[in-house]
Amino acid sequence: MRSPRRQGRRLNLEGVVAVVAVTGLFALSGCTAPAGRETPDTPVASSSPAPAAPSAPSSPATLGVPTELVTGLEAPWGLTFLPDGSALVSERISGRILRIPSNGGAAEIVGVVPGVQATSEGGLLGIVASPDFAEERTVFASVSGADENRIVALRIADDHRSLTIDRVLVDGIQTADRHHGGRLAIGPDGHLWIGTGDAFEPGNAADDASLNGKILRIALDGSIPSGNPAATAIYSSGHRNVQGIAFGPDGTAYASELGHRTWDEVNVLRPGADYGWPETEGIAGSTGEAPIATLHPDDASPSGVAYAGGSLWIGALGGQRLWQLPVDGGAATGEPIEHLSGTFGRIRTVEVAPDGALWVVTSNTDRATWGGTAPRDGDDRILRIEVVVR
């Protein structure tokens, strides 16, 4: 039985920047696909309470001038930083992992992940380095295979010039042509958080027997943390297609989720919570947890999300811009602000570098003829943008 919608404070974005206060929380909406087609493509700790009322908003952070770090990537998807300040980036279609120097420059091939099956949205997706990477050389990856999706631990060679699959942490995630989710993040609890899509079968999101349409949380050895609500990998359910997970400084977990044709969402994740899909989409419906923000599909189609300077920074695919959402304690504290609208095209991933700057990954060589844009000269690229806190 689906839980009734939990009411709270909601900000709702109509068109581009008109904000209307209604009951609930603030959420974002996905990109629009051609007629008859679907669109492609935070937690609080397991015991966290409901978010506190937001404090009075201060002046939101601003962004510096973007600088290019690397160009010529092919359908990049995930990005993670290593202890030396360099970064690894995954390419969805080729299955390659590349290493980017901390100050930018030519990408170096680390290796090709075995067993990657590229589909319209599947392939090699999110990656995240272990907190103990310096000692154990482990990177976790979300892999779409021919028969199932799985989460694997990769071993990166000392010279960064080869990789191997060390072990499989989660398997049995249903695969499909679209709706893979695929974002990975390591939370302040030390566990691995995983966003999965509904595999283009909406009923999976509400099915407790399915790992699809869920947020999963596991220990780094693949075991089930004691705080998970049902002694399984499932942390929350009722998600359509989660492609962004980020954590605030207070431990609040946030997730960005692609909607169908009306609303995308930004949610605060709570253990055992149901987020309403497929009965409810954004603010359209009455089941599940209410999002803290919603955007219309043409303006968003949210993918990667990062927290810096008191705001969430949300990459938009269909909306081809970077959204800023001021937040505090699990609630939106101001209007959404758009940046880079149309400047660099589709934005797939946003991560915070060790120096506090944002690294922003574009996605114009990936499905450029469907809901996208023609690649610009030099696409795809990674940009570095400083966050200026006033």
Side-chain angles (χ1 to χ4, degrees), residues 148-336:
E148 63 178 3
N149 294 344
R150 57 196 182 279
I151 309 301
V152 303
L154 305 172
R155 184 64 56 85
I156 307 296
D158 290 344
D159 62 1
H160 302 100
R161 295 185 181 278
S162 64
L163 59 81
T164 56
I165 292 182
D166 183 58
R167 61 191 187 278
V168 176
L169 280 73
V170 181
D171 57 13
I173 304 171
Q174 182 179 334
T175 193
D177 188 51
R178 287 171 275 170
H179 293 197
H180 296 263
R183 191 66 62 182
L184 305 182
I186 294 177
D189 56 9
H191 298 316
L192 181 62
W193 295 68
I194 304 158
T196 70
D198 64 10
F200 214 53
E201 295 184 15
N204 283 336
D207 184 356
D208 292 341
S210 172
L211 296 177
N212 293 83
K214 308 294 192 298
I215 294 290
L216 310 180
R217 188 181 75 136
I218 61 172
L220 301 188
D221 62 1
S223 62
I224 305 301
S226 59
N228 281 19
T232 71
I234 296 173
Y235 187 82
S236 62
S237 62
H239 300 284
R240 184 172 185 266
N241 194 16
V242 174
Q243 289 193 4
I245 301 173
F247 300 87
D250 60 356
T252 300
Y254 301 92
S256 61
E257 178 171 338
L258 290 97
H260 182 206
R261 299 190 184 281
T262 308
W263 299 108
D264 295 333
E265 303 180 4
V266 175
N267 288 302
V268 169
L269 300 178
R270 297 184 177 86
D274 166 24
Y275 290 83
W277 179 254
E279 295 177 24
T280 293
E281 176 189 350
I283 61 174
S286 59
T287 59
E289 295 283 309
I292 65 166
T294 58
L295 288 172
H296 283 300
D298 289 347
D299 301 324
S301 184
S303 189
V305 57
Y307 177 95
S311 294
L312 297 178
W313 304 88
I314 304 158
L317 295 169
Q320 299 185 25
R321 67 198 75 177
L322 180 66
W323 282 107
Q324 176 184 2
L325 176 64
V327 293
D328 181 44
T333 60
E335 299 180 3

Side-chain angles (χ1 to χ4, degrees), residues 21 47 56 80 100 139 141-142 320 324:
S47 60
T80 188
I100 313 300
V139 170
S142 177
Q320 299 185 25
Q324 176 184 2

